[in-house]
Amino acid sequence: MLALLRNQKIRGILFQLLTVIGLVAFLWYIGSNTVANIEQRGIQTGFGFLNGTAGFGIDQSPISYTEENTHGRVFIVGLLNTIIIAFVGILCATIVGLIIGILRLSKNWLIAKLAKAYIDFFRNIPLLLQILFWYNVVLRAMPSPKESYSFFETVFINNRGLYFPLPEYNATFFTILASLFVALLASIMLNSWANRRKEATGEDLTVFPFAIGMFILFPILAYFIGGAHLNFSFPELRGFNFKGGKTLSPEFLALTFALTIYTATFIAEAVRSGIEAVSHGQKEAAVSMGFSPYQSLKLVVLPQAIRIAIPPIINQYLNLIKNSSLATAVGYPEIVTVFAGTSLNQVGQAIEIISMTMLVYLVISLVVSAILNWFNHKMKIKER
């Protein structure tokens, strides 16, 4: 026995086994103690509450919802709103962060200093304060609907939100939508073919003009193929508010602005550090080959910088998703506000509701992380 314990490999396995047994025993104790306390206090358990009537309304719902719907429906509405704000925030933060990160390295002194000031200012203010600022100081200070700011008499913004035209969902609309997906798929396939052609022959083909042409031509053809019947619902002031079109609430706008501006500062720093990590010799080689500053940035610097910047950017995407839970401060109906908030107050089953909410954020974060890690793997330099 002592001889076995002197064996480092066996001793390591034994210690790991004891650690696992101790962890399982601890979790078992916590679980059994929780169940005993719940039974002692007569607290109802299970997921039957999901079939109960919610009894409260939700102002912003991407699917049909009424007060007579169930708490299960509330969960779905909150989940969809969380996914929407996360997707919009990631998209906008990526665009702004990429632009600011590049401007941060501009040779123009004023532009570089303004980009640095933007990063230093917004990065060091708590996100919750930024959400409250955009909501209470900026958007709630907008004029009333009758005095709305108007853009071309089709887009309006006031203290009740942003109003803009919305196309009718008919055959023409769905045909145009399908044509955009076809154009996107065709652009990806053309870019892949151009890369293989360049590796085989060394001849470069600029895909961007062809992609722009497809994104213009395909929807035009789809418009006539789909029946040339594309109508829009325009917002119109009727009484004390606007009717028709699409409305983005102040809560959604405040949360989007804050998440975008705050997260973009960290993405900008990741982009800047990635660009600066590219060796100076690479940049000199691009200049010696006759590349313009734009070509050097696009073909030499950014492809290498992205590989370095992707890991910290993934972390910022995950932070943005989790930070969206701060929407409860302004009442945007994402999953924490309506499900872990209002539904929990009504049914009182905290363990089930909080566990479901935590699982939602865990699954969303793992899916986003898996997708971006796959992209990071695809971006690696393939050695011959």
Side-chain angles (χ1 to χ4, degrees), residues 47-325:
F47 295 91
F49 72 93
L50 292 174
N51 296 321
T53 302
F56 61 90
I58 299 178
D59 294 335
Q60 305 169 60
S61 175
I63 59 175
S64 60
Y65 173 84
T66 62
E67 295 181 1
E68 288 74 26
N69 286 128
T70 64
H71 289 286
R73 189 78 167 183
V74 172
F75 172 78
I76 295 174
V77 171
L79 173 61
L80 292 176
N81 280 334
T82 298
I83 293 174
I84 290 172
I85 193 65
F87 175 79
V88 174
I90 287 174
L91 180 63
C92 295
T94 302
I95 296 173
V96 175
L98 181 61
I99 294 173
I100 297 297
I102 294 174
L103 294 180
R104 179 78 170 78
L105 299 173
S106 173
K107 295 181 180 180
N108 185 297
W109 183 88
L110 179 60
I111 292 177
K113 291 301 180 182
L114 287 175
K116 183 178 184 300
Y118 164 84
I119 294 172
D120 291 340
F121 182 80
F122 288 106
R123 185 175 58 176
N124 293 298
I125 297 178
L127 177 58
L128 180 58
L129 288 180
Q130 295 192 41
I131 295 174
L132 295 176
F133 169 80
W134 285 105
Y135 183 70
N136 293 309
V137 179
V138 177
L139 295 172
R140 283 302 180 186
M142 290 281 181
S144 63
K146 289 187 177 181
E147 300 174 347
S148 301
Y149 296 122
S150 173
F151 302 92
F152 308 106
E153 296 299 325
T154 56
V155 179
F156 304 89
I157 185 170
N158 53 56
N159 58 10
R160 296 187 182 180
L162 176 67
Y163 302 83
F164 56 89
L166 181 69
E168 294 182 358
Y169 300 136
N170 52 28
T172 304
F173 172 79
F174 287 111
T175 305
I176 293 175
L177 188 63
S179 71
L180 293 174
F181 282 105
V182 172
L184 176 62
L185 181 61
S187 300
I188 294 174
M189 294 176 63
L190 179 61
N191 185 65
S192 177
W193 174 83
N195 290 334
R196 292 196 304 269
R197 177 173 176 265
K198 183 177 180 180
E199 290 180 1
T201 65
E203 297 180 8
D204 192 15
L205 175 65
T206 304
V207 177
F208 185 73
F210 295 97
I212 293 296
M214 286 188 287
F215 274 99
I216 295 175
L217 180 60
F218 286 11
I220 293 176
L221 294 176
Y223 173 77
F224 294 102
I225 294 174
H229 187 69
L230 184 63
N231 296 326
F232 285 84
S233 171
F234 290 90
E236 297 179 0
L237 183 61
R238 299 174 185 174
F240 297 100
N241 204 356
F242 284 87
K243 303 294 183 182
K246 176 64 177 177
T247 305
L248 298 180
S249 68
E251 294 80 11
F252 177 85
L253 294 174
L255 189 60
T256 300
F257 291 160
L259 288 175
T260 297
I261 292 173
Y262 179 77
T263 309
T265 61
F266 297 94
I267 294 178
E269 284 295 272
V271 172
R272 179 192 62 80
S273 61
I275 293 175
E276 289 188 330
V278 178
S279 65
H280 190 64
Q282 294 284 314
K283 301 171 185 176
E284 289 180 338
V287 174
S288 66
M289 294 179 65
F291 287 177
S292 66
Y294 171 76
Q295 290 175 320
S296 176
L297 180 66
K298 175 186 174 184
L299 301 176
V300 178
V301 178
L302 277 184
Q304 298 181 70
I306 288 175
R307 298 186 183 99
I308 302 171
I310 283 179
I313 288 177
I314 292 175
N315 188 48
Q316 295 308 317
Y317 287 167
L318 300 182
N319 286 338
L320 186 148
I321 294 170
K322 290 176 284 189
N323 286 337
S324 66
S325 61

